[in-house]
Amino acid sequence: MTATPDAKPLKGLFIRTYGCQMNVYDSERIRDVLKPLGYAPVEAPEGADLVVINTCHIREKATEKVYSELGKLKQMKLASGGKMTIAVAGCVAQAEGAEIIRRQPAVDLVLGPQAYHKLPEMIARASRAVGDRLETGFDTVEKFDALPKTREPDGPAAFVSVQEGCDKFCTFCVVPYTRGAEISRNVDDIVSEIRDLASKGVREVTLLGQNVNAFHGPAPRLEGGADWTLGQLVRHIARIGGIERIRYTTSHPRDMDDDLIAAHGDTPAMMPFLHLPVQSGSDRILKAMNRGHTADQYRDIIDRVRKARPDIAIASDFIVGFPGESDADFEATMQLVRDIGFAVAYSFKYSSRPGTPAAEMHGHLSEAVKDERLQALQSLLRDQQTAFNQAQIGKTLPVLVTGKGRNPGQMHGRSPYLQALHFDGTEALINTLVDVKIVSASLNSITGEHVRAREPAA
Ligand code: SAH
Ligand code: SF4
Ligand code: F3S
């Protein structure tokens, strides 16, 4: 192939992503924003022209990682003769941008989660060594408006941000401070982004938001300007040609409305999987966390969801060792887990975050107590996850084939319940839906036999 005379030389871009799916989405969009400037992704930071670290502030450990990573990058920058540009993006950048610049002078740019559309302008400023190195404004609407309208999907499943920020102010959590106030994206923009993805072969979309079920997006062209709920949005997306699977994450129990629950039962594209974090099974602790619901209200929501869609897989998040958590409070969490039965769950030791109300509370617990509780909870959750996986043995499930497996002749895909699984098959199946019979399952691995291709949806 001959290069066109006006082709810009490619510059190497390396992005490292920490934290939640919103950061994964943001990293993809950072790549899109930088493409017109001639940046192309490379596999490793060594030798890259631009390295972006997309950071997470949620727990102390996540934040610490950033500084150790920056230390390593500084060495690489020196080795490159200063040619490498280092940018820190995401939630640590938002929370302690000035501190990052002070602690690690090798950093050229710091930008918060709502500012990455300004990267091209910031890179230009950095190359001329003029102007501010820090952008941590909160203009989410401006960001979404400024993003490129088309995307290059990585495979048959894609994330789409529909809502950002959080107004819930759980007392342990930094997200309302790092991501700002809750804002929903415009329905037209979401729909055109998904249409574009569908035209490029995407079959499954996961709608993202810190509180995605609080979605209330303006729909100027579609419905006289009235805000849409998440239930309305998923029903609409289900009608987009090519989109066969819809998921959303992460939801809050307080925003689980009847229409959204009903959609799980009456909209075939809605996947039978719900990630609904509960954090604790003790009403006293839920109150101190400012979650705004009781353990029984959570049980009731799960009952109603299961009535709408009996096979739904329930996922959750837990925090153990919140300040003041007694043995009885912890036992209430264990009881809630035994009552519900989770397909998968993420559990964390409480981490005190500067500036949050819980950091100032009495009754902080020792690491030893937190460790012991985490182990007990995780052991119960592992048993439930194994049981859920093994319950699929003998069933034939529709599987979206996402790529090649580790061994030759093996394919990799995801079940409706978001389980990752392997089966023997050919590469021609990648990006399609196939029926797979589950033959074995353990905690983290599921194996199946390819039965047949599925007819594409009408
Ligand atoms: N918006 C989502 C979750 C955001 S953070 C929700 O409201 O559920 C993801 C998870 O990290 C939380 O569900 C919680 O379990 C955990 N988490 C948040 N802050 C934490 C902290 N200070 N210490 C330990 N875990 C925390
Ligand atoms: Fe954090 Fe609570 Fe908001 Fe979730 S709902 S992002 S845990 S403040
Ligand atoms: Fe972390 Fe920010 Fe997500 S703090 S969990 S990357 S919203």
Side-chain angles (χ1 to χ4, degrees):
M1 217 167 64
T2 45
T4 46
D6 58 348
K8 287 194 193 107
L10 288 186
K11 288 174 270 186
L13 165 68
F14 180 80
I15 308 181
R16 171 108 59 213
T17 309
Y18 296 99
C20 62
Q21 286 111 330
M22 308 258 352
N23 264 15
V24 175
Y25 176 84
D26 287 349
S27 288
E28 250 193 69
R29 300 305 268 151
I30 288 173
R31 196 184 66 192
D32 296 340
V33 166
L34 293 173
K35 200 174 160 198
L37 274 75
Y39 283 97
V42 291
E43 295 289 311
E46 289 88 357
D49 296 278
L50 174 61
V51 175
V52 179
I53 306 296
N54 200 3
T55 61
C56 174
H57 197 52
I58 200 84
R59 285 169 289 274
E60 195 180 353
K61 261 203 194 133
T63 303
E64 276 168 11
K65 274 195 205 143
V66 176
Y67 289 101
S68 67
E69 173 108 32
L70 287 176
K72 287 186 211 138
L73 286 174
K74 179 189 168 188
Q75 298 307 324
M76 287 181 211
K77 182 173 180 163
L78 283 174
S80 78
K83 195 172 73 75
M84 176 189 281
T85 301
I86 302 175
V88 183
C91 292
V92 182
Q94 187 67 42
E96 43 191 72
E99 163 105 0
I100 294 172
I101 291 177
R102 191 182 57 76
R103 266 176 71 175
Q104 188 45 273
V107 170
D108 299 282
L109 308 169
V110 176
L111 59 152
Q114 315 306 351
Y116 58 80
H117 58 293
K118 295 188 178 152
L119 250 178
E121 179 191 325
M122 291 179 76
I123 292 170
R125 283 204 306 250
S127 69
R128 297 196 308 271
V130 293
D132 228 337
R133 293 196 286 159
L134 180 67
E135 286 279 1
T136 48
F138 265 132
D139 205 338
T140 319
V141 174
E142 181 190 307
K143 174 183 83 176
F144 282 127
D145 285 349
L147 288 177
K149 297 293 173 221
T150 61
R151 289 175 61 186
E152 291 311 318
D154 275 338
F159 289 137
V160 176
S161 268
V162 303
Q163 180 276 332
E164 277 227 38
C166 181
D167 294 338
K168 296 280 191 297
F169 290 95
C170 300
T171 53
F172 51 80
C173 185
V174 294
V175 172
Y177 314 98
T178 63
R179 292 268 172 173
E182 194 185 294
I183 281 187
S184 297
R185 243 178 121 182
N186 179 305
V187 171
D188 279 359
D189 291 351
I190 296 166
V191 169
S192 61
E193 186 170 324
I194 295 175
R195 284 218 175 95
D196 174 57
L197 289 169
S199 74
K200 293 168 180 163
V202 166
R203 316 290 287 272
E204 174 176 312
V205 288
T206 302
L207 309 178
L208 296 181
Q210 266 84 23
N211 270 284
V212 70
N213 56 343
F215 178 82
H216 51 91
R221 263 196 291 122
L222 292 167
E223 196 157 279
D227 283 356
W228 279 26
T229 62
L230 188 65
Q232 285 174 294
L233 183 67
V234 297
R235 289 174 195 281
H236 188 76
I237 293 169
R239 293 201 292 269
I240 297 178
I243 298 299
E244 298 185 46
R245 295 178 153 201
I246 304 170
R247 307 177 184 277
Y248 59 92
T249 198
T250 301
S251 337
H252 194 289
R254 255 150 68 189
D255 296 311
M256 233 26 239
D257 68 41
D258 290 344
D259 182 49
L260 184 59
I261 293 176
H264 276 283
D266 63 31
T267 306
M270 279 284 258
M271 287 295 97
F273 184 94
L274 174 65
H275 185 180
L276 194 63
V278 62
Q279 316 297 356
S280 168
S282 152
D283 288 345
R284 209 174 64 81
I285 296 297
L286 286 169
K287 190 156 195 277
M289 287 176 164
N290 191 32
R291 290 290 290 180
H293 63 84
T294 63
D296 277 349
Q297 282 167 339
Y298 184 84
R299 287 183 177 87
D300 177 60
I301 294 166
I302 300 300
D303 280 350
R304 286 189 288 134
V305 171
R306 282 181 166 153
K307 275 205 186 87
R309 179 78 203 231
D311 67 331
I312 198 162
I314 305 295
S316 202
D317 293 352
F318 294 89
I319 294 177
V320 300
F322 186 82
E325 184 188 74
S326 66
D327 286 337
D329 292 320
F330 177 64
E331 174 48 31
T333 298
M334 294 291 276
Q335 190 55 45
L336 179 108
V337 174
R338 288 189 283 264
D339 290 346
I340 303 258
F342 292 95
V344 56
Y346 306 91
S347 45
F348 311 99
K349 285 189 281 182
Y350 169 73
S351 171
S352 181
R353 308 306 288 128
T356 59
E360 311 296 321
M361 287 178 187
H362 295 295
H364 282 258
L365 301 178
S366 70
E367 280 305 300
V369 170
K370 290 195 231 177
D371 275 329
E372 197 183 313
R373 289 182 185 169
L374 188 68
Q375 279 177 32
L377 175 62
Q378 289 189 337
S379 156
L380 176 58
L381 290 168
R382 274 197 301 271
D383 288 349
Q384 293 193 342
Q385 183 170 331
T386 307
F388 182 82
N389 289 346
Q390 290 180 340
Q392 312 305 322
I393 295 175
K395 287 188 196 162
T396 298
L397 300 178
V399 168
L400 182 66
V401 188
T402 46
K404 284 195 279 185
R406 242 168 288 151
N407 303 328
Q410 209 182 41
M411 294 297 123
H412 181 268
R414 48 170 73 163
S415 78
Y417 310 111
L418 207 51
Q419 295 152 302
L421 52 82
H422 289 95
F423 62 94
D424 288 337
T426 62
E427 282 179 42
L429 298 174
I430 295 174
N431 298 345
T432 69
L433 277 160
V434 297
D435 277 336
V436 172
K437 185 173 180 198
I438 309 305
V439 293
S440 71
S442 57
L443 175 66
N444 290 315
S445 108
I446 298 182
T447 311
E449 285 169 356
H450 171 211
V451 181
R452 60 181 170 270
R454 293 175 72 84
E455 292 297 316

